[in-house]
Amino acid sequence: MKAIYLTTSLERQDYVDFTNIWKTPLNSGNQNYHNKLIRLISTLTDVEVFSLRPFSKRFCKTYKLKASDKQINNIHYHYLEVSRNSVFRKNNFIKQSLKLIKNCLDEELLVFVDVINPNAIAVANALKEKYHFPTIGVCTSTPSNISGTPRSYTQSIMENTAEFDGYICVTNSIKDIFNSTDKPSIVINGILDNAIVKSIDNEYGRYFLFAGNLMNKYGLYSLIDAFKEIEDKNIKLLLCGHHANEKLLKQAIKDDERIIYLGQLTVEKTQQLEINAFANINPTPFSEDLDRFNFPGKVIEYLGSGAMTISTKNTTLLKQFPNEIIWCKNGEKEDLKFGLERALSLTLEERNRLGKIAKEKVKELYSFNNLKPAFKDFVNQFVK
């Protein structure tokens, strides 16, 4: 058996280079989930990744994205050429994929596809129509949750993924939407990265870290307001990630020199900051919809760092880590202030113990080794 993975994601270092050709930040959350899932699949079989990279004539600094490829152990990335004209882009992706797939036809194939990307879905259905490969949708969100998309986008996604043979979903509620006919499915909330991160010297001293999506709806400004009320002048707040409105962010920080905005960093650099943090924080305000249709995968990364984790409510994680996370309710300013002050009140011994227990527990739940048996059973349902 061999896996074909249709996605917009790239290999880790290639993604870092790719973000540099964009004038606007890219969403790394989706990239990280697919990247880790690809590596999980590679523990079972070889993976051929067909990467349908996003492109914009307005926001890309390059004129054209040419075809290239990269082999890392048993994962082979094929970066498809991207047509400048979006009208021809889908058909060009299909044409290239049909050509590449011919090199794999001597093996039993299983196709995984990112269901949020219409081009990836179109390629998957073209392969399915011609070769009848089992096709598994990877569902990281609901179509209606993608910002700026019309109702027709949601309808198209649902119609064109209805005939897939199985689904991998981030939450049970997402599974209920995509898998209404009860086909084989598995819920994988998050995946703990198995890559070894090199330790570095701590150049910032004591700091809280918020890394991820820096849009207002994910709690950035409530966190800044809460931190400004912390009396300890020897603790900093580091912010890094994507989708920040830098003008508004600078206005919110004003003259508080303890708050440092680092921009968008590499995955490795971010994880190094997480390891050295006094505490890592997820300030995303709680809502029923977010709780059902999103999963804070960044918190899994935080827990794996060995540092303390502060987080707003998430039903799944609250059940799994009732005592290992400093919970700060719904994400209001006072809730976040409570979490920050609670972390500062703990002794060194208490902080180390909390981080150590959380790290051990998250490995038991979300590591490759833990996820692999159930995932293997799921995949075997499609193998003759």
Side-chain angles (χ1 to χ4, degrees), residues 27 35 44 53 64 79 120-121 149 175 186 199 215 227 249 255 261 268 329 337 365 367:
N27 188 339
N35 186 277
L44 303 178
R53 295 163 292 175
K64 186 178 182 180
Y79 297 119
I121 293 170
T149 55
K175 183 188 73 172
I186 186 171
S199 61
M215 294 173 66
F227 179 78
L249 182 54
D255 56 352
Y261 170 57
E268 183 177 24
K329 298 183 180 178
K337 182 182 177 182
L365 293 170
S367 69

Side-chain angles (χ1 to χ4, degrees), residues 33 168-172 186-191 294-297 300 314 316-317 320 366 371:
Y33 186 90
I168 300 169
C169 302
V170 171
T171 70
N172 281 301
I186 186 171
V187 173
I188 300 179
N189 300 130
I191 305 170
N294 292 77
F295 184 81
I300 300 301
N314 173 267
T316 300
L317 289 174
Q320 295 172 340
Y366 290 103
L371 295 173

Side-chain angles (χ1 to χ4, degrees), residues 119-342:
N119 288 328
I121 293 170
V123 172
N125 283 326
L127 296 176
K128 189 173 181 63
E129 181 179 359
K130 186 174 180 64
Y131 296 109
H132 309 290
F133 301 136
T135 303
I136 298 172
V138 181
C139 314
T140 56
S141 184
T142 61
S144 59
N145 197 40
I146 306 300
S147 301
T149 55
R151 180 176 175 81
S152 59
Y153 166 82
T154 298
Q155 292 174 329
S156 174
I157 294 294
M158 299 309 300
E159 290 172 2
N160 290 311
T161 59
E163 299 303 317
F164 286 178
D165 302 284
Y167 301 92
I168 300 169
C169 302
V170 171
T171 70
N172 281 301
S173 294
I174 292 176
K175 183 188 73 172
D176 292 341
I177 289 176
F178 280 98
N179 191 23
S180 59
T181 55
D182 200 27
K183 295 176 182 176
S185 64
I186 186 171
V187 173
I188 300 179
N189 300 130
I191 305 170
L192 182 64
D193 205 325
N194 68 343
I196 298 175
V197 180
K198 298 178 182 177
S199 61
I200 58 170
D201 292 335
N202 182 0
E203 59 182 296
Y204 296 104
R206 295 164 71 240
Y207 61 85
F208 295 109
L209 175 70
F210 173 34
N213 193 320
L214 299 179
M215 294 173 66
N216 181 42
K217 69 177 182 179
Y218 293 107
L220 171 65
Y221 297 105
S222 294
L223 174 60
I224 290 173
D225 290 342
F227 179 78
K228 284 185 173 183
E229 295 189 4
I230 298 299
E231 295 180 359
D232 188 338
K233 301 304 179 183
N234 295 315
I235 188 82
K236 299 181 179 70
L237 172 63
L238 303 190
L239 307 169
C240 63
H242 53 89
H243 283 89
N245 183 321
E246 295 193 9
K247 182 179 179 180
L248 290 179
L249 182 54
K250 289 177 181 177
Q251 290 175 351
I253 294 172
K254 291 184 179 178
D255 56 352
D256 194 326
E257 296 181 354
R258 298 177 301 162
I259 306 175
I260 303 172
Y261 170 57
L262 300 172
Q264 185 162 6
L265 306 176
T266 66
V267 172
E268 183 177 24
K269 177 63 175 177
T270 302
Q271 291 177 344
Q272 289 169 338
L273 288 173
E274 290 165 358
I275 291 170
N276 285 332
F278 182 83
N280 299 298
I281 184 164
N282 166 42
T284 303
F286 176 83
S287 74
E288 293 291 343
D289 280 349
L290 273 177
D291 198 50
R292 292 174 60 205
F293 299 116
N294 292 77
F295 184 81
K298 179 61 71 173
V299 177
I300 300 301
E301 194 173 292
Y302 286 169
L303 293 166
S305 71
M308 286 190 299
T309 299
I310 305 169
S311 181
T312 51
K313 179 182 175 182
N314 173 267
T315 300
T316 300
L317 289 174
L318 187 56
K319 292 177 181 177
Q320 295 172 340
F321 300 91
N323 303 311
E324 293 79 19
I325 292 175
I326 297 175
W327 295 104
C328 47
K329 298 183 180 178
N330 297 328
E332 300 291 335
K333 183 185 78 170
E334 291 303 317
D335 298 333
L336 296 171
K337 182 182 177 182
F338 166 83
L340 298 173
E341 290 180 337
R342 172 64 179 149

